[in-house]
Amino acid sequence: MTTTTRIERHHYDVVVIGAGGAGLRAAIEARLAGKKTAIISKSLFGKAHTVMAEGGAAAAMGNVNSRDSWQVHFRDTMRGGKFLNNFRMAELHAKESPQRIWELETYGALFDRTKDGKISQRNFGGHEYPRLAHVGDRTGLELIRTLQQKIVSLQQEDQREHGSYDARIRVFSETTITELLLDGDRVAGAFGYYRESGEFILFEAPAVVLATGGVGRSYKVTSNSWEYTGDGHALALRAGATLINMEFLQFHPTGMVWPPSVKGILVTESVRGDGGILKNSEGKRFMFDYVPDVFRKQYADSAAEADRWYEDPDNNRRPPELLPRDEVARAINSEVKAGRGTPAGGVYLDIASRLPAEEIRRRLPSMYHQFKELADVDITQEPMEVGPTCHYVMGGVEVDPDSGAAFGHVRGLFAAGEVSGGMHGSNRLGGNSLSDLLVFGKRAGGHAASYADGLASRPRVPVPAVETAVETALAPLQRDTGESPYVLQQDLQAVMGDLVGIIRREGELVDALARLGELRERVAKVSAVGGRRYNPGWHLALDLRNMLVVSECTAKAALERRESRGGHTREDHPTMDPAWRRVNQVCSLEGDIVHLDRKPLPRMRPELFALFDRAELAKYLTDEELAEFDALTEEER
Amino acid sequence: MGTEKSQAAGAPATKRQFRIWRGDETGGDLKEYLVEAKEGEVVLDIIHRLQSTEAPDLACRWNCKAGKCGSCSVEINGKPKLACMTRMSTFTEDETISVTPLRTFPIVRDLVTDVSFNYEKARETPAFAPPPGVAPGDYRMQQVDVERSQEFRKCIECFLCQTVCHVIRDHEENKPAFSGPRYFIRAAELDMHPLDARDDRKEYAQAEQGLGYCNITKCCTEVCPEHIKITDNGIIPMKERVVDRKYDPLVWLGNKIFRRGQVPQTSVTSEHSPGAVRTPAAGPPGFHSHAGASHDPQAEAQAQAGVNWHREVPKPTAPTLDESGKLPLTELTFDRPAAPSPFGEDVTFPLPPEHLNYAHPEQDKH
Ligand SMILES: Cc1cc2nc3c(=O)[nH]c(=O)nc-3n(C[C@H](O)[C@H](O)[C@H](O)COP(=O)(O)OP(=O)(O)OC[C@H]3O[C@@H](n4cnc5c(N)ncnc54)[C@H](O)[C@@H]3O)c2cc1C
Ligand code: SF4
Ligand code: SF4
Ligand code: FES
């Protein structure tokens, strides 16, 4: 039966799954390296999640404060990630971001400018200097549109040279990949379906770049769209690659909690960067009570000093509203739990009383516009009601930092962007994602191209694997006894939101794992009504198994890690444990069972260690490591 | 969680009457649904509720639910809108809300249309040309100079302006020659880009994108969810400058861009303009139609409460040309002082208000 199913076949050198910032940058690089490249995306071209990024892209260009440098950026990134970052990724990111941003200007991007005509940079939580290149508060849109237009310009080149726009780079929009196909341990291709027609499509390609973004759809309150079902994470696992740091999820501290039409939508950090403050229901500016010792040196302890900082950042410490996101999220959570929250379970974010209405509209145009239109809330007049929202997954495919090649036992698989893990450690700084996409997108695309070049023979797609993929894809349509995918998704979201949310406890995590086990059986029997053409129920049914396996990784890793760090907070283990800092938790798949292993973190190079104060390192490192550090600095003298 | 609490605290959920177009390219019709709606919800919330209850296979695009990605474009009560930005509170409780797919593009299924027309036009629009010899990192531009282009770069590619434009809305035959407002502003954006190395953006828009078909009805501006002043800031300056350059004999002679020959300048004149000259090849369509999508009289009436689709729209005509078929070159050989008006000679400004298609931004509130 299955062999008679029509399957459209394509041959490419490099297939990029995902058309967000990372995917597009990877595709540009592969095409520039002369490879025939396909870009695949679940939604239309130019609509990927990157569109939603607001605040900006972090790069130490030093346009606003010339004291900024890659070393300072590196330091901030490591600090933000609580030293769990892959140091090499953080280093490459800090060094290469400025070039990647400047390059965008040659593609036609128009960032906001400084007085002397350079790219303007703004303050953001966790960054020591103003560092985020931005365009109002629609930076992600600028980034994705610029890359999209660069791809168009490459296609126009190909049209002139080869007579076809699609000669060397082609976009397959509204196409979902459901399976990677292997020839032994080598990637041989990718299988999926067109959403519009439900027809199947097979890409034969020796190199695949995953750039599928995150996993937030497994949570109830999330800023993420329907696309974020962890497909790339799951595809990698099933192909034999590994995931790291899956316990670390970022809950954005300030997502809207009321009214429902905007629930989950983020209020960009620049509202706080531009002077917005957080208040509880008693009207108290509570963040001063939540500055952790590690940050005392950089953050103000009085409202007067904090307020002076906006004008004179060199001589004052920063307002505590600009602490890294997890600190802010935790503070809000504590306030709400202590009964000082708003009726909808959040706190107030107030910019209205801090800046003139005119100024707010100028600095935060799309924020203003969004709330006015979506919720009829005028942010220049009244405070917003905000609370923690699932936003970003730090964990992802374990990759080689320089090339983006996936670890585990698979070759020809690369990953970049949110789907890859390690760069951000246990917590991502705002603005570091957009530059991460560019830096590692370019690297992954380039290395995928040279991997394809270096192959002596092209891998072949095994026929039985294609048949299995077809059967798996059609199964939900052929069953009519199972449950609705929407019900299953709601149940999954309830388990993750309630039991594996921002604050975690051992008992709840154990419970969560049991429930996920039950869900696994129900998901295996899911059924979708309707036909194959643009059927969202069917699409969701297929996404569910990805969401499930990724959720299991998160729950397992969260149960194991008995400490609190960055995007992982255990109520029963509330402090950071230096011994845990040396450990990455690695997930792999055997059959359909998630396995968890521990692996030591790569050791940071001495000259990078030397960028930090001993006093600061003492908060993160074990005594043993500190002794090594002392020995090192001794030597240098 | 806490949010649930306050939902309960708000007004109770009510049932609302919806009519949603179901079908595919072979046909379909409006289906009635009675759906629960809660306080503070938008139309997209209702569509999601339908998907998770009685219509699991109802096809609809969306991504961000925040008016940022431009995926959820549909026609609501005949008016092109983003479903995620249309609040339920803008309708009265007894109102039937009809949701139909974008009319200008071929149907795929239910509320999803094939918008590839737009991506084809995007591919045909020449890309940014980097200034030669300027290294990455050396780009210097002033904020005031980038702001004009930035306005157009706010575009979220929802294609609402494309679907509403009468030149292609009911005129399949115009599609090959007409790129539409989204791509006029793309050309305008590059034209105004301080460092773009090409200087023929306007001529290109005129000769290759079909700018001449546009008769400045401003319907595109009206529906733009990003409030981009498509006509005033994009299209009109492009048209004006083309006329300027055509008028300048040096540019005129030196210009090799007009591959399709003398495309006549179209412009807005009144309905009864005498002496309108049109070449058949590039002539704009003769009438205007903005009927709304649903063919449902009630929806039609509602749509018109917001926008007057049937107002008398000025007809496009060509400007006055001299015997040689060109714009008169100098004041000496022309019978009037100063340059000919790009809008045609017999239009007086200000235009009568009923000829304008302006809707107050807060019209929905009534
Ligand atoms: C509201 C919001 C605001 C943010 N603000 C900022 C900010 O200010 N600064 C910052 O640095 N970061 C920000 N972020 C984070 C940042 O936007 C994302 O992490 C980043 O855009 C991810 O990019 P990506 O290229 O990895 O993936 P995405 O842009 O998410 O793209 C994923 C792509 O993969 C495709 N895909 C997924 N699965 C499949 C499949 N199975 N088959 C085919 N295609 C598939 C999707 O269709 C999509 O094209 C924000 C995020 C959100 C949600
Ligand atoms: S002004 Fe009218 S005719 Fe011109 S592009 Fe806009 S909608 Fe079309
Ligand atoms: S110009 Fe406005 S209406 Fe047109 S596609 Fe862009 S955002 Fe949409
Ligand atoms: S869903 Fe993105 S604009 Fe409506």
Side-chain angles (χ1 to χ4, degrees):
Chain A
M1 174 208 75
T2 45
T3 37
T4 57
T5 315
R6 213 179 72 80
I7 301 176
E8 194 179 301
R9 280 174 180 260
H10 293 272
H11 293 258
Y12 282 93
D13 298 325
V14 176
V15 164
V16 179
I17 307 177
L24 297 184
R25 189 63 191 82
I28 289 172
E29 202 60 19
R31 155 67 182 74
L32 289 176
K35 293 283 145 288
K36 204 175 160 218
T37 307
I39 303 170
I40 307 171
S41 136
K42 280 215 251 190
S43 43
L44 290 171
F45 191 27
K47 312 276 183 212
H49 221 68
T50 302
V51 148
M52 294 171 70
E54 293 160 343
M61 297 183 282
N63 289 350
V64 170
N65 191 325
S66 57
R67 285 193 287 179
D68 202 7
S69 66
W70 76 261
Q71 287 91 339
V72 185
H73 191 182
F74 171 78
R75 224 158 42 200
D76 290 345
T77 303
M78 293 298 292
R79 223 175 248 154
K82 304 280 191 293
F83 278 72
L84 199 80
N85 319 51
N86 179 307
F87 77 87
R88 176 66 179 157
M89 290 177 94
E91 179 196 0
L92 288 170
H93 171 259
K95 281 181 175 161
E96 293 177 6
S97 297
Q99 281 133 282
R100 294 289 83 77
I101 297 291
W102 286 325
E103 194 172 67
L104 289 183
E105 288 199 301
T106 71
Y107 299 171
L110 284 174
F111 291 102
D112 286 350
R113 318 305 296 183
T114 62
K115 285 215 172 56
D116 51 356
K118 295 180 186 166
I119 297 174
S120 167
Q121 297 184 274
R122 71 152 58 113
N123 278 305
F124 225 64
H127 293 281
E128 191 167 338
Y129 297 116
R131 189 177 287 146
L132 269 66
H134 58 96
V135 187
D137 49 7
R138 54 165 192 85
T139 315
L141 172 66
E142 185 70 11
L143 190 117
I144 199 164
R145 200 65 82 233
T146 302
L147 294 172
Q148 182 185 349
Q149 287 164 350
K150 173 67 180 176
I151 284 172
V152 162
S153 92
L154 292 171
Q155 290 182 323
Q156 289 173 350
E157 247 173 52
D158 293 345
Q159 155 80 1
R160 284 192 292 275
E161 265 176 54
H162 305 279
S164 161
Y165 288 115
D166 294 330
R168 287 194 289 178
I169 185 165
R170 176 160 170 198
V171 182
F172 294 82
S173 62
E174 300 207 306
T175 306
T176 305
I177 295 299
T178 59
E179 220 72 71
L180 294 178
L181 303 168
L182 302 180
D183 178 357
D185 68 346
R186 293 190 302 167
V187 164
F191 173 88
Y193 61 89
Y194 285 119
R195 290 164 58 81
E196 276 191 6
S197 60
E199 297 285 329
F200 293 123
I201 178 167
L202 173 65
F203 296 89
E204 298 191 25
V208 167
V209 179
L210 292 173
T212 53
V215 306
R217 265 290 141 191
S218 311
Y219 284 83
K220 226 174 354 193
V221 185
T222 176
S223 61
N224 294 174
S225 83
W226 63 269
E227 293 192 298
Y228 265 28
T229 50
D231 292 6
H233 293 78
L235 289 171
L237 276 179
R238 290 203 293 268
T242 48
L243 306 183
I244 55 168
N245 294 347
M246 288 306 292
E247 62 274 39
F248 298 108
L249 279 159
Q250 189 165 59
F251 287 80
H252 195 285
T254 56
M256 286 298 272
V257 293
W258 180 257
S261 56
V262 286
K263 182 169 150 191
I265 290 180
L266 298 187
V267 181
T268 148
E269 253 160 68
S270 38
V271 171
R272 281 173 282 139
D274 283 339
I277 57 171
L278 292 165
K279 289 184 190 162
N280 61 21
S281 58
E282 293 159 5
K284 179 176 178 204
R285 185 172 174 185
F286 58 83
M287 280 307 295
F288 292 108
D289 302 342
Y290 292 93
V291 184
D293 290 341
V294 198
F295 289 109
R296 289 262 177 244
K297 238 173 79 186
Q298 289 104 351
Y299 289 84
D301 47 22
S302 72
E305 178 175 1
D307 288 346
R308 284 197 303 270
W309 175 88
Y310 299 105
E311 294 302 320
D312 180 11
D314 283 340
N315 297 314
N316 294 287
R317 286 174 301 172
R318 315 158 61 92
E321 277 83 8
L322 295 181
L323 276 163
R325 301 181 159 177
D326 53 325
E327 305 290 354
V328 179
R330 224 170 316 179
I332 295 177
N333 198 60
S334 307
E335 285 296 306
V336 173
K337 283 208 171 154
R340 295 187 292 267
T342 67
V347 296
Y348 294 109
L349 172 55
D350 178 17
I351 182 122
S353 70
R354 311 263 303 166
L355 287 178
E358 197 37 54
E359 191 64 13
I360 297 173
R361 274 196 294 268
R362 196 184 65 74
R363 290 206 205 174
L364 302 160
S366 77
M367 268 289 106
Y368 171 74
H369 173 81
Q370 196 178 340
F371 285 106
K372 194 77 195 133
E373 302 227 330
L374 274 169
D376 208 10
V377 171
D378 184 347
I379 63 167
T380 67
Q381 300 302 323
E382 46 188 313
M384 296 164 254
E385 277 187 59
V386 299
T389 302
C390 177
H391 180 49
Y392 185 91
V393 58
M394 268 67 72
V397 181
E398 189 188 13
V399 292
D400 171 62
D402 288 76
S403 67
F407 283 177
H409 46 83
V410 56
R411 286 187 297 147
L413 187 62
F414 298 79
E418 190 168 342
V419 71
S420 69
M423 157 72 204
H424 303 289
S426 67
N427 188 28
R428 173 184 71 101
L429 290 187
N432 266 2
S433 172
L434 289 185
S435 38
D436 161 20
L437 307 181
L438 298 170
V439 169
F440 295 103
K442 176 184 151 77
R443 285 182 161 269
H447 284 273
S450 41
Y451 168 83
D453 271 338
L455 282 179
S457 68
R458 272 177 97 97
R460 301 176 73 88
V461 172
V463 178
V466 179
E467 287 178 356
T468 318
V470 169
E471 268 167 37
T472 315
L474 290 178
L477 287 173
Q478 286 158 353
R479 268 191 294 262
D480 46 15
T481 49
E483 287 176 83
S484 146
Y486 295 98
V487 171
L488 290 169
Q489 184 191 25
Q490 274 162 18
D491 290 356
L492 175 64
Q493 288 175 336
V495 173
M496 294 306 282
D498 297 345
L499 305 178
V500 200
I502 175 166
I503 310 288
R504 300 160 179 178
R505 296 174 196 90
E506 175 155 346
E508 291 184 351
L509 291 168
V510 172
D511 190 15
L513 278 167
R515 293 187 192 208
L516 289 174
E518 284 162 27
L519 269 169
R520 176 137 41 98
E521 273 156 38
R522 293 164 61 195
V523 165
K525 286 188 283 202
V526 62
S527 63
V529 300
R532 278 165 69 179
R533 303 191 55 186
Y534 221 109
N535 181 347
W538 178 42
H539 302 160
L540 179 59
L542 295 178
D543 292 343
L544 274 174
R545 66 174 180 147
N546 298 338
M547 294 166 74
L548 192 72
V549 72
V550 173
S551 300
E552 285 193 289
C553 290
T554 299
K556 277 206 168 150
L559 177 61
E560 269 307 291
R561 188 174 277 274
R562 292 188 176 81
E563 65 154 356
S564 293
R565 178 185 298 274
H568 170 66
T569 305
R570 283 282 295 263
E571 205 178 61
D572 40 0
H573 300 277
T575 52
M576 222 160 27
D577 175 354
W580 268 107
R581 192 203 69 80
R582 308 179 67 179
V583 179
N584 274 149
Q585 297 198 85
V586 183
C587 299
S588 57
L589 205 59
E590 264 169 46
D592 57 356
I593 306 296
V594 173
H595 265 270
L596 199 63
D597 297 301
R598 291 188 189 176
K599 191 171 166 178
L601 223 64
R603 284 162 64 102
M604 188 146 85
R605 293 201 314 277
E607 77 267 26
L608 295 177
F609 255 129
L611 294 172
F612 297 90
D613 281 353
R614 188 187 191 282
E616 175 163 24
L617 289 176
K619 291 170 200 146
Y620 297 102
L621 304 190
T622 57
D623 294 341
E624 193 187 330
E625 287 172 294
L626 270 180
E628 278 173 34
F629 174 78
D630 291 338
L632 261 169
T633 39
E634 217 34 49
E635 258 169 51
E636 269 167 33
R637 253 169 240 153
Chain B
M1 285 170 61
T3 14
E4 255 70 276
K5 218 182 328 165
S6 46
Q7 263 169 7
T14 51
K15 293 265 183 187
R16 304 290 279 271
Q17 190 67 42
F18 268 77
R19 283 186 188 169
I20 299 181
W21 196 89
R22 302 291 311 263
D24 55 26
E25 83 276 7
T26 59
D29 53 57
L30 290 165
K31 284 233 158 55
E32 306 266 343
Y33 295 97
L34 196 61
V35 212
E36 193 179 298
K38 295 181 187 149
E39 195 202 323
E41 287 189 323
V42 291
V43 170
L44 187 62
D45 288 314
I46 309 299
I47 292 176
H48 285 163
R49 180 154 308 125
L50 272 172
Q51 286 181 329
S52 62
T53 54
E54 48 184 308
D57 64 338
L58 168 61
C60 172
R61 284 199 182 100
W62 72 282
N63 269 9
C64 64
K65 203 171 168 283
K68 289 178 176 239
C69 70
S71 303
C72 61
S73 309
V74 288
E75 305 199 356
I76 298 174
N77 288 342
K79 205 180 164 193
K81 284 193 166 174
L82 297 178
C84 72
M85 296 293 273
T86 309
R87 275 180 281 131
M88 288 302 293
S89 60
T90 56
F91 307 101
T92 57
E93 263 186 39
D94 52 358
E95 203 171 345
T96 301
I97 301 159
S98 67
V99 187
T100 50
L102 299 182
R103 162 139 142 186
T104 306
F105 309 115
I107 301 275
V108 172
R109 209 167 80 78
D110 301 344
L111 300 175
V112 175
T113 53
D114 173 1
V115 292
S116 54
F117 165 80
N118 301 291
Y119 289 98
E120 278 156 30
K121 294 298 172 185
R123 280 219 291 217
E124 289 163 11
T125 310
F128 172 70
V134 186
D138 288 349
Y139 283 48
R140 293 289 176 276
M141 295 173 256
Q142 289 305 313
Q143 184 62 31
V144 286
D145 297 326
V146 297
E147 259 162 21
R148 296 202 307 162
S149 297
Q150 279 182 336
E151 176 186 5
F152 304 128
R153 291 186 72 85
K154 284 196 311 200
C155 170
I156 56 173
E157 301 206 327
C158 62
F159 309 130
L160 291 179
C161 58
Q162 302 281 90
T163 192
V164 82
C165 177
H166 67 96
V167 176
I168 47 176
R169 189 166 170 91
D170 289 308
H171 294 276
E172 202 56 33
E173 72 281 8
N174 287 335
K175 281 187 179 170
F178 187 74
S179 296
R182 160 65 188 119
Y183 301 100
F184 297 153
I185 61 163
R186 168 73 173 142
E189 166 216 321
L190 290 166
D191 187 57
M192 297 170 189
H193 190 299
L195 294 176
D196 178 51
R198 278 181 82 135
D199 58 3
D200 63 347
R201 302 277 176 196
K202 298 181 199 71
E203 290 79 357
Y204 184 89
Q206 186 67 22
E208 304 288 339
Q209 292 189 300
L211 183 65
Y213 283 65
C214 162
N215 55 354
I216 318 191
T217 60
K218 298 203 183 183
C219 308
C220 49
T221 306
E222 254 170 55
V223 297
C224 177
E226 285 293 305
H227 304 306
I228 299 171
K229 299 233 166 27
I230 303 175
T231 5
D232 288 0
N233 295 351
I235 295 175
I236 292 176
M238 295 286 278
K239 281 182 175 265
E240 279 171 348
R241 300 268 294 279
V242 175
V243 173
D244 285 352
R245 289 202 200 161
K246 275 195 157 175
Y247 179 64
D248 179 333
L250 283 178
V251 174
W252 177 252
L253 288 173
N255 210 331
K256 297 183 188 65
I257 305 298
F258 291 92
R259 265 171 269 153
R260 288 195 194 157
Q262 281 96 331
V263 182
Q265 217 18 88
T266 41
S267 47
V268 180
T269 69
S270 73
E271 177 83 356
H272 312 288
S273 95
V277 201
R278 276 204 268 133
T279 43
F287 62 91
H288 183 86
S289 150
H290 268 309
S294 57
H295 297 298
D296 166 4
Q298 194 197 351
E300 216 79 331
Q302 281 166 328
Q304 282 162 31
V307 180
N308 178 8
W309 302 101
H310 292 302
R311 75 212 170 284
E312 185 192 351
V313 176
K315 278 201 167 179
T317 60
T320 323
L321 304 180
D322 66 18
E323 301 85 285
S324 63
K326 294 179 179 163
L327 283 172
L329 287 188
T330 71
E331 290 176 23
L332 289 177
T333 59
F334 196 44
D335 58 356
R336 252 153 284 169
S341 161
F343 301 99
E345 294 306 313
D346 50 357
V347 178
T348 40
F349 292 96
L351 292 167
E354 63 278 8
H355 285 196
L356 297 176
N357 196 2
Y358 175 76
H360 192 272
E362 305 211 322
Q363 61 179 5
D364 288 349
K365 288 198 177 158
H366 290 294

